[in-house]
Amino acid sequence: MPAVPGMYQQAPSCWDRVKLGFMIGFCVGMASGVLFGGYSIVRYGLRGRELINNVGKAMLQGGGTFGTFMAIGSGIRC
C-alpha cells in the first residue's frame, strides 16, 4: 500500500510502552515461575492437585513481580 502524503506514523505513547513492558515482564516471570517453582515443588514432594495449585501461584507471583519491575523500568525510560 503506498504511503499517503501528510500522514505520519506516531510513536507509541509512554503508557503503551509501560503496558508492553509489563506484559513482556509478566510472560518472562511466568516462564521462570514454571521452571523454578515447578522444580522446587516437585523436589518438595507435592503431586497432583497440590502441584498444579502451587505451580500456578509461583507463576502468578513471578509474573507479577517481574512484570511490575519491567513496567517501572519502561516508565523510567519514557
Side-chain angles (χ1 to χ4, degrees):
M1 176 182 242
V4 179
M7 300 294 286
Y8 300 103
Q9 278 188 326
Q10 293 182 349
S13 68
C14 188
W15 177 244
D16 290 334
R17 290 181 185 192
V18 170
K19 287 190 298 186
L20 182 65
F22 180 80
M23 292 301 292
I24 291 172
F26 192 80
C27 291
V28 170
M30 284 185 65
S32 68
V34 167
L35 294 175
F36 297 125
Y39 174 73
S40 65
I41 290 169
V42 167
R43 205 173 121 216
Y44 210 60
L46 298 179
R47 298 287 188 262
R49 180 171 283 179
E50 295 172 335
L51 174 82
I52 300 298
N53 286 339
N54 287 323
V55 168
K57 287 178 189 176
M59 287 173 64
L60 288 176
Q61 287 176 345
T65 301
F66 200 72
T68 300
F69 285 118
M70 284 287 289
I72 291 169
S74 298
I76 289 172
R77 290 193 66 193
C78 283

